[in-house]
Structure formats: structure tokens, C-alpha cells
Amino acid sequence: MNTKRFALKTIAACVLAAGALGIAQAQTKLKWAHVYETSEPFHKYSVWAGEEIKKRTNGKYEVQVFPASSLGKEADINQGLTLGTVDIILSGASFAGRTYAPLAVSYFPFIFRDAEHQLKYATSDVFKELAKGYDDKSGNHITALTYYGARHVTSSAARPVAKPEDMKGLKIRVPDAPAYLAFPKALGANPTPIAFAEVYLALQNGTVDAQENPLPTIEAKKFFEVQKNISLTGHIVDSLLTIVSGQLWGKLSADEKKIFTEVMQEAAEKTGREIIASEARLVEEFKKKGNNVMTVDKGAFREAVLKSTKPTDHGYRQQDYDRITAIK
């Protein structure tokens, strides 16, 4: 009898162990990578999205977020989607545009009037069409577009930028992507691509005179410490894409795809609203820190740029540019 009880207990324990193993195997760990600091909303809401995905899939997916280029520079993490080293990334459309060039038209200077214009673009038919073009070409899938901020020029004390002519000969750091070159090149500046993680040092040691980024990024990366002047050019209203690897997207059920999309779009909305709020307060904060914050004639910069370059010069389609600028 004791032997029989022992055998039954042993069988029950094996069944429980097998069940536990099945649960453990069912959980999938995912890597979400980006190049932004842990203090920034891009990281905060990536972590939030990971927690929401875990909650809404009943623990099936465990998302670990890797910030601040810890899994590589922006070009690396884009490549990682194909190599299978990352599952989800936040990335600029200019980098995704290396795979499907028309997508990067949103980085053309002065294409957007302001943040609200870009947020309308994020839900527009033209964005959906461009995103599908990228999906078809890359095999990956774009789920959301996040407002990143209006990009402004910062420069050393010796090189203030108050008017378009002041850009001539300026050695300015830009991201290593073709879309960002249009603005400085059109104004006679000398664009110098440097990896994001290396920009502070390059500004500090004078490798470059200037850089351009939104105000929240200038704060998070502490560029204001090594750049006296901040010129409110607003030349590019920037965005980030949330991209899921094709390998992962292909494994998700229809319900899971819906959850991932809804969560990532909610995260994009929350991030964008926080960035817009921080842009509104940072002008005065930089002034208090002793920076020379200059309100410039954006119309003069826009006219000078568009006189020298057009979307088709950079591989973009004129019809996409026209449709985006027409969004009301």
C-alpha cells in the first residue's frame, strides 16, 4: 500500500514538474533596444509598454528594455532586427529609410509645421502606405510613430547661429543618415556624422562646432553644458518609429498583434505628449542656466533651404512630400 502511495505521489510530482516546465517554456523573452537615456520618456514608456505587453498577454512575453546604445548604435540595432539579436527597437525613420528610402521623407527640412501636424501624419493614409512599403521591403513591421521633438541648432560660444548665413562653414554634427544632411548642406555648413553616444565629447573637445537636436535631448544628453548658443530653428520636426522584427511579428497570433500594436501606439502617444510639455518649459530653463537662447526667423531658414534643395534630390517622392504638407 505504501509502495502504491509512493508511486502515485511520484507520478503526480512528475506531472506537476512537466506542467511547470511547459509554463516556463511558453514564456518568451524579448529584447527592446534604443539609443536614449534612462531619464528620457522614450525609455520610460518603452519600459511601460513592456510591462503592459506582459500583463495583457498573461505573462507570455517578458520584455527587457536595453537603453543608451547598450545593444549597439542606431544602425546596429536596425540591423539587429534582421540578424535576430533584437526583437523591438525605437529608431528614426532616416535609419529605416536605408531599407525603404521613401519612408524618410518625413525628415525633409520644414515638411511639418509643428508637433500637431506630425501627430496627424502618424494616423494618416500616407504614413500607413509608407510604413507598409517598409514592411514589404524589410520583412519587419512598424507599429507606431512617436513625436521626438523639433530639432534646433546648438553651437559654441564663438559661432552663434542667428540667420541662415551664419551656418556657412559651420562644422555641425548630424546623425549618420542622408535625411539629416539636407539642412546643413543647403546652408553651406559642413555636416559631420558622429555616433550619438560620442557627441558630447566631440562638442567638448571642439571636433565639431555645433549639433542639432530637440530641446529635451539637449537637456538629457547635457549638450547645453558644452554649447553656449541654442538657436530655435525647428528645421526638422522629428519622430521615432517602433519596429518589431519580422521573425517575432510572424510568430504572433492575431490577438497578440492587436495587443502589441495597441500598447506601442499608447506608449507613443504618452511619450509625445510628455515631450511636447517639456519643450514648452525648457526654453526658460536653458536661459536660467546661462545659455544664449535665440528666437530666429524660421521663415528665412525655410526659404534658404528650399531654394537650394528639394525632396527628389534626396531620393524622396514629390507626391509623398506634397501629401504630407497638405495634411490639415
PDB file of all heavy atoms in Angstrom, residues 137-154:
ATOM      1  N   LYS A 137       9.390  45.643 -47.837  1.00  0.00           N
ATOM      2  CA  LYS A 137      10.800  45.600 -48.268  1.00  0.00           C
ATOM      3  C   LYS A 137      11.694  44.937 -47.219  1.00  0.00           C
ATOM      4  O   LYS A 137      12.605  44.180 -47.554  1.00  0.00           O
ATOM      5  CB  LYS A 137      11.281  47.029 -48.536  1.00  0.00           C
ATOM      6  CG  LYS A 137      12.678  47.124 -49.152  1.00  0.00           C
ATOM      7  CD  LYS A 137      12.646  46.902 -50.650  1.00  0.00           C
ATOM      8  CE  LYS A 137      14.042  46.990 -51.249  1.00  0.00           C
ATOM      9  NZ  LYS A 137      14.527  48.384 -51.311  1.00  0.00           N
ATOM     10  N   SER A 138      11.423  45.223 -45.939  1.00  0.00           N
ATOM     11  CA  SER A 138      12.327  44.762 -44.875  1.00  0.00           C
ATOM     12  C   SER A 138      11.929  43.429 -44.252  1.00  0.00           C
ATOM     13  O   SER A 138      12.772  42.709 -43.719  1.00  0.00           O
ATOM     14  CB  SER A 138      12.372  45.805 -43.750  1.00  0.00           C
ATOM     15  OG  SER A 138      11.115  45.866 -43.081  1.00  0.00           O
ATOM     16  N   GLY A 139      10.638  43.142 -44.291  1.00  0.00           N
ATOM     17  CA  GLY A 139      10.142  41.962 -43.580  1.00  0.00           C
ATOM     18  C   GLY A 139       9.816  42.248 -42.130  1.00  0.00           C
ATOM     19  O   GLY A 139       9.242  41.408 -41.434  1.00  0.00           O
ATOM     20  N   ASN A 140      10.189  43.437 -41.643  1.00  0.00           N
ATOM     21  CA  ASN A 140       9.855  43.856 -40.279  1.00  0.00           C
ATOM     22  C   ASN A 140       8.524  44.598 -40.289  1.00  0.00           C
ATOM     23  O   ASN A 140       7.935  44.805 -41.351  1.00  0.00           O
ATOM     24  CB  ASN A 140      10.970  44.730 -39.712  1.00  0.00           C
ATOM     25  CG  ASN A 140      12.304  44.012 -39.709  1.00  0.00           C
ATOM     26  OD1 ASN A 140      12.384  42.836 -39.363  1.00  0.00           O
ATOM     27  ND2 ASN A 140      13.364  44.707 -40.116  1.00  0.00           N
ATOM     28  N   HIS A 141       8.067  45.034 -39.110  1.00  0.00           N
ATOM     29  CA  HIS A 141       6.746  45.674 -39.056  1.00  0.00           C
ATOM     30  C   HIS A 141       6.761  46.916 -38.165  1.00  0.00           C
ATOM     31  O   HIS A 141       7.153  46.852 -36.992  1.00  0.00           O
ATOM     32  CB  HIS A 141       5.705  44.689 -38.514  1.00  0.00           C
ATOM     33  CG  HIS A 141       4.326  45.270 -38.433  1.00  0.00           C
ATOM     34  ND1 HIS A 141       3.603  45.645 -39.553  1.00  0.00           N
ATOM     35  CD2 HIS A 141       3.543  45.588 -37.359  1.00  0.00           C
ATOM     36  CE1 HIS A 141       2.440  46.142 -39.181  1.00  0.00           C
ATOM     37  NE2 HIS A 141       2.384  46.123 -37.858  1.00  0.00           N
ATOM     38  N   ILE A 142       6.336  48.049 -38.722  1.00  0.00           N
ATOM     39  CA  ILE A 142       6.210  49.300 -37.977  1.00  0.00           C
ATOM     40  C   ILE A 142       4.860  49.318 -37.271  1.00  0.00           C
ATOM     41  O   ILE A 142       3.817  49.136 -37.909  1.00  0.00           O
ATOM     42  CB  ILE A 142       6.322  50.517 -38.914  1.00  0.00           C
ATOM     43  CG1 ILE A 142       7.735  50.606 -39.506  1.00  0.00           C
ATOM     44  CG2 ILE A 142       5.975  51.812 -38.176  1.00  0.00           C
ATOM     45  CD1 ILE A 142       7.873  51.633 -40.614  1.00  0.00           C
ATOM     46  N   THR A 143       4.883  49.537 -35.965  1.00  0.00           N
ATOM     47  CA  THR A 143       3.623  49.554 -35.204  1.00  0.00           C
ATOM     48  C   THR A 143       3.185  50.961 -34.809  1.00  0.00           C
ATOM     49  O   THR A 143       2.000  51.193 -34.587  1.00  0.00           O
ATOM     50  CB  THR A 143       3.757  48.729 -33.908  1.00  0.00           C
ATOM     51  OG1 THR A 143       4.861  49.245 -33.152  1.00  0.00           O
ATOM     52  CG2 THR A 143       3.975  47.254 -34.211  1.00  0.00           C
ATOM     53  N   ALA A 144       4.152  51.900 -34.660  1.00  0.00           N
ATOM     54  CA  ALA A 144       3.786  53.225 -34.138  1.00  0.00           C
ATOM     55  C   ALA A 144       4.813  54.276 -34.540  1.00  0.00           C
ATOM     56  O   ALA A 144       5.962  53.962 -34.864  1.00  0.00           O
ATOM     57  CB  ALA A 144       3.678  53.173 -32.615  1.00  0.00           C
ATOM     58  N   LEU A 145       4.374  55.538 -34.509  1.00  0.00           N
ATOM     59  CA  LEU A 145       5.249  56.685 -34.723  1.00  0.00           C
ATOM     60  C   LEU A 145       5.154  57.582 -33.496  1.00  0.00           C
ATOM     61  O   LEU A 145       4.066  57.904 -33.036  1.00  0.00           O
ATOM     62  CB  LEU A 145       4.851  57.449 -35.983  1.00  0.00           C
ATOM     63  CG  LEU A 145       5.717  58.659 -36.359  1.00  0.00           C
ATOM     64  CD1 LEU A 145       5.826  58.792 -37.885  1.00  0.00           C
ATOM     65  CD2 LEU A 145       5.162  59.964 -35.778  1.00  0.00           C
ATOM     66  N   THR A 146       6.317  57.963 -32.951  1.00  0.00           N
ATOM     67  CA  THR A 146       6.395  58.784 -31.739  1.00  0.00           C
ATOM     68  C   THR A 146       6.962  60.154 -32.075  1.00  0.00           C
ATOM     69  O   THR A 146       7.979  60.257 -32.759  1.00  0.00           O
ATOM     70  CB  THR A 146       7.323  58.114 -30.697  1.00  0.00           C
ATOM     71  OG1 THR A 146       6.812  56.822 -30.375  1.00  0.00           O
ATOM     72  CG2 THR A 146       7.420  58.954 -29.432  1.00  0.00           C
ATOM     73  N   TYR A 147       6.312  61.197 -31.579  1.00  0.00           N
ATOM     74  CA  TYR A 147       6.866  62.548 -31.722  1.00  0.00           C
ATOM     75  C   TYR A 147       8.149  62.641 -30.909  1.00  0.00           C
ATOM     76  O   TYR A 147       8.175  62.341 -29.715  1.00  0.00           O
ATOM     77  CB  TYR A 147       5.856  63.587 -31.229  1.00  0.00           C
ATOM     78  CG  TYR A 147       6.394  65.003 -31.219  1.00  0.00           C
ATOM     79  CD1 TYR A 147       6.650  65.683 -32.414  1.00  0.00           C
ATOM     80  CD2 TYR A 147       6.656  65.665 -30.013  1.00  0.00           C
ATOM     81  CE1 TYR A 147       7.151  66.979 -32.404  1.00  0.00           C
ATOM     82  CE2 TYR A 147       7.151  66.961 -30.000  1.00  0.00           C
ATOM     83  CZ  TYR A 147       7.398  67.610 -31.195  1.00  0.00           C
ATOM     84  OH  TYR A 147       7.900  68.887 -31.184  1.00  0.00           O
ATOM     85  N   TYR A 148       9.242  63.052 -31.560  1.00  0.00           N
ATOM     86  CA  TYR A 148      10.553  63.118 -30.917  1.00  0.00           C
ATOM     87  C   TYR A 148      10.915  64.542 -30.508  1.00  0.00           C
ATOM     88  O   TYR A 148      11.644  64.756 -29.547  1.00  0.00           O
ATOM     89  CB  TYR A 148      11.599  62.574 -31.891  1.00  0.00           C
ATOM     90  CG  TYR A 148      13.017  62.551 -31.367  1.00  0.00           C
ATOM     91  CD1 TYR A 148      13.387  61.656 -30.367  1.00  0.00           C
ATOM     92  CD2 TYR A 148      13.989  63.394 -31.899  1.00  0.00           C
ATOM     93  CE1 TYR A 148      14.691  61.613 -29.897  1.00  0.00           C
ATOM     94  CE2 TYR A 148      15.299  63.357 -31.432  1.00  0.00           C
ATOM     95  CZ  TYR A 148      15.644  62.458 -30.441  1.00  0.00           C
ATOM     96  OH  TYR A 148      16.936  62.432 -29.975  1.00  0.00           O
ATOM     97  N   GLY A 149      10.400  65.516 -31.260  1.00  0.00           N
ATOM     98  CA  GLY A 149      10.688  66.902 -30.936  1.00  0.00           C
ATOM     99  C   GLY A 149      11.168  67.680 -32.142  1.00  0.00           C
ATOM    100  O   GLY A 149      11.590  67.108 -33.144  1.00  0.00           O
ATOM    101  N   ALA A 150      11.080  69.004 -32.044  1.00  0.00           N
ATOM    102  CA  ALA A 150      11.592  69.878 -33.111  1.00  0.00           C
ATOM    103  C   ALA A 150      13.086  70.065 -32.907  1.00  0.00           C
ATOM    104  O   ALA A 150      13.541  70.407 -31.812  1.00  0.00           O
ATOM    105  CB  ALA A 150      10.873  71.226 -33.064  1.00  0.00           C
ATOM    106  N   ARG A 151      13.860  69.847 -33.966  1.00  0.00           N
ATOM    107  CA  ARG A 151      15.317  69.914 -33.861  1.00  0.00           C
ATOM    108  C   ARG A 151      15.792  71.359 -33.993  1.00  0.00           C
ATOM    109  O   ARG A 151      15.350  72.083 -34.893  1.00  0.00           O
ATOM    110  CB  ARG A 151      15.971  69.043 -34.932  1.00  0.00           C
ATOM    111  CG  ARG A 151      15.645  67.565 -34.776  1.00  0.00           C
ATOM    112  CD  ARG A 151      16.307  66.725 -35.849  1.00  0.00           C
ATOM    113  NE  ARG A 151      17.682  66.382 -35.502  1.00  0.00           N
ATOM    114  CZ  ARG A 151      18.040  65.258 -34.884  1.00  0.00           C
ATOM    115  NH1 ARG A 151      17.124  64.374 -34.510  1.00  0.00           N
ATOM    116  NH2 ARG A 151      19.305  65.012 -34.630  1.00  0.00           N
ATOM    117  N   HIS A 152      16.696  71.742 -33.098  1.00  0.00           N
ATOM    118  CA  HIS A 152      17.265  73.085 -33.087  1.00  0.00           C
ATOM    119  C   HIS A 152      18.790  72.995 -33.096  1.00  0.00           C
ATOM    120  O   HIS A 152      19.368  72.005 -32.641  1.00  0.00           O
ATOM    121  CB  HIS A 152      16.818  73.841 -31.832  1.00  0.00           C
ATOM    122  CG  HIS A 152      15.333  73.888 -31.641  1.00  0.00           C
ATOM    123  ND1 HIS A 152      14.495  74.587 -32.483  1.00  0.00           N
ATOM    124  CD2 HIS A 152      14.535  73.307 -30.711  1.00  0.00           C
ATOM    125  CE1 HIS A 152      13.246  74.454 -32.066  1.00  0.00           C
ATOM    126  NE2 HIS A 152      13.245  73.678 -30.998  1.00  0.00           N
ATOM    127  N   VAL A 153      19.428  74.041 -33.583  1.00  0.00           N
ATOM    128  CA  VAL A 153      20.888  74.083 -33.664  1.00  0.00           C
ATOM    129  C   VAL A 153      21.462  74.613 -32.355  1.00  0.00           C
ATOM    130  O   VAL A 153      21.022  75.657 -31.852  1.00  0.00           O
ATOM    131  CB  VAL A 153      21.341  74.974 -34.839  1.00  0.00           C
ATOM    132  CG1 VAL A 153      22.864  75.168 -34.808  1.00  0.00           C
ATOM    133  CG2 VAL A 153      20.915  74.370 -36.172  1.00  0.00           C
ATOM    134  N   THR A 154      22.448  73.900 -31.792  1.00  0.00           N
ATOM    135  CA  THR A 154      23.251  74.450 -30.700  1.00  0.00           C
ATOM    136  C   THR A 154      24.661  74.649 -31.234  1.00  0.00           C
ATOM    137  O   THR A 154      25.122  73.886 -32.084  1.00  0.00           O
ATOM    138  CB  THR A 154      23.301  73.534 -29.458  1.00  0.00           C
ATOM    139  OG1 THR A 154      24.115  72.386 -29.739  1.00  0.00           O
ATOM    140  CG2 THR A 154      21.915  73.088 -29.039  1.00  0.00           C
TER     141      THR A 154
END
